[in-house]
Each structure stands twice: as structure tokens, then as C-alpha cells.
Amino acid sequence: MGKLSTHVLDITQGKPGAGVKVALYAVGPQGRELLKTDVTNSDGRCSTPLLEGDALKQGKYELIFSAGDYFAAQGVALPEPRFVDEVTIAFGIAHADQNYHVPLVVSPWAYSTYRGS
């Protein structure tokens, strides 16, 4: 069975993004449904998979990371409004029997993601 996981890398400090709030939504014809919220641990990861086994289904999802709040808590001087605040990554799960790892590489000025396994 597959699983969905994530982690956050703070490229301004070259370290894991610990304490980042993460929200996972399923996206369907009726809109978004909140499935789970979590906070990254000291390694920048959620301690358990966001979805796994029968809970991981083919479909569209969104991960929303509270990056602006994380950088503010780190003491980073941010403009108002913040350039990077809530980062939304919209992605699809095509094969529920595979592992999907959706990391966020982030600074106050840019972010990137990719599909890991």
C-alpha cells in the first residue's frame, strides 16, 4: 500500500523547517475537504504519513504550509504583506499503491517542490 509524506527544508538557514503547520485537503467536485493538520518535527517532517493504506486514494489534493508564520517565528524580518506566506501545493495521486513524497524547499522569497518517493 502507498503513503503520502512531506517535509520542509529552510534554504535560508540550511536546515529542516521545524514547527511548520501543514494542512492536507482532498479536492473534489464539491470543493476542498480538510483531511489532516500536522506540525513538522525537528527533522522538518511530519512524524507519521499524512495518508497511508486505504486512506490514500487516487485524486487531487492540496498541501498548505504556513511558511510565513514559520519565518516570523524564526525572527526573520518580513515585509507586510509577506511575499511567501501560505504555500499551497496542488498535486494529484494517480496510483494509490505508490509512495508520494511532496517536500517543500522554501525561503521568504521563493519555494520549490518535487515528487519524491
Side-chain angles (χ1 to χ4, degrees):
M1 301 302 289
K3 69 179 178 183
L4 172 64
S5 58
T6 190
H7 75 273
V8 178
L9 299 170
D10 175 346
I11 60 173
T12 61
Q13 299 183 67
K15 68 176 192 171
V20 178
K21 295 176 192 170
V22 180
L24 172 66
Y25 292 86
V27 181
Q30 306 302 319
R32 295 188 322 172
E33 175 188 356
L34 180 64
L35 300 178
K36 185 173 185 176
T37 59
D38 206 341
V39 176
T40 58
N41 62 22
S42 62
D43 195 33
R45 300 176 183 275
C46 293
S47 297
T48 60
L50 296 169
L51 295 174
E52 63 182 327
D54 291 339
L56 182 65
K57 298 182 185 339
Q58 182 181 25
K60 295 181 179 182
Y61 295 87
E62 289 181 358
L63 278 169
I64 301 178
F65 299 85
S66 296
D69 290 346
Y70 163 79
F71 285 114
Q74 297 294 306
V76 176
L78 300 170
E80 190 56 47
R82 298 167 180 167
F83 184 72
V84 171
D85 193 17
E86 286 191 334
V87 175
T88 301
I89 300 174
F91 62 98
I93 302 268
H95 304 284
D97 60 338
Q98 296 180 3
N99 291 336
Y100 286 77
H101 185 68
V102 184
L104 175 66
V105 181
V106 66
S107 82
W109 310 107
Y111 62 89
S112 178
T113 191
Y114 56 92
R115 180 188 170 187
S117 59

